[in-house]
Amino acid sequence: MDEGRPIEVLLVEDDQGDILLTREAFDLNKVSNRLHVVNDGEQAMAFLRREGGYAGVPRPDLVLLDLNLPRMSGMEVLSEVKADAALRAIPVVILTTSRAEEDILHSYRLHANAYVTKPVDFEQFIRVVRQIDDFFVTVVKLPAHGKRP
């Protein structure tokens, strides 16, 4: 990773309120990373594979993935990402309202990098987004842009 270079974050979320909250969290936290948003699992896979209307998009450095999505569930997206040699190195953080133990276990079995339950409280949501950003931008070393194992 280039020091100080904003990372490309793909938010896969169908709830417009949660999208707005995430954008506000990025703005309030002065997160300089670029946030891209898609609204369902099929769009997520097209974005990640840079297909169709997503041919010119940057490859994300981090994916924030909701589990409850139309057309293709978050679990299906996670499974496809981690099974694809070209995509599997991209960290995927499950960011969902589900607190179900089976969802947590299944996500980690599919090699999610983290599982975060969305806080209902706005201030807590802001803190969670900040912590995810701090961890994946400051603490964790990601592959250099465009270089994947």
Side-chain angles (χ1 to χ4, degrees):
M1 256 336 263
D2 300 330
E3 291 298 319
R5 179 185 65 79
I7 68 169
E8 305 291 339
V9 179
L10 175 61
L11 174 64
V12 186
E13 174 63 68
D14 65 321
D15 183 290
Q16 294 304 311
D18 286 348
I19 293 169
L20 182 60
L21 280 176
T22 304
R23 287 189 192 282
E24 287 182 24
F26 269 59
D27 290 344
L28 287 172
N29 287 324
K30 308 277 190 276
V31 174
S32 61
N33 301 326
R34 294 184 192 103
L35 183 65
H36 307 273
V37 179
V38 294
N39 302 116
D40 66 49
E42 288 181 3
Q43 288 176 359
M45 293 313 302
F47 190 104
L48 288 163
R49 291 180 174 141
R50 298 189 258 183
E51 297 171 341
Y54 299 107
V57 299
R59 174 69 45 91
D61 298 299
L62 175 65
V63 176
L64 302 178
L65 177 64
D66 187 23
L67 291 181
N68 304 311
L69 297 169
R71 300 174 66 196
M72 181 181 196
S73 75
M75 288 294 185
E76 291 170 311
V77 170
L78 177 61
S79 180
E80 282 199 31
V81 167
K82 295 305 180 177
D84 186 324
L87 302 175
R88 76 172 54 115
I90 300 171
V92 177
V93 174
I94 304 300
L95 186 58
T96 186
T97 55
S98 174
R99 296 178 185 275
E101 187 68 20
E102 66 187 54
D103 286 341
I104 297 167
L105 288 170
H106 194 199
S107 294
Y108 283 118
R109 282 186 190 121
L110 292 174
H111 306 289
N113 296 84
Y115 190 102
V116 179
T117 303
K118 292 178 194 171
V120 183
D121 174 79
F122 178 72
E123 294 302 319
Q124 286 183 310
F125 190 90
I126 299 296
R127 277 193 295 277
V128 163
V129 171
R130 177 84 243 167
Q131 289 169 340
I132 291 169
D133 179 65
D134 284 346
F135 185 72
F136 281 97
V137 176
T138 308
V139 178
V140 172
K141 296 299 178 202
L142 297 172
H145 205 58
K147 295 182 180 168
R148 300 278 178 232

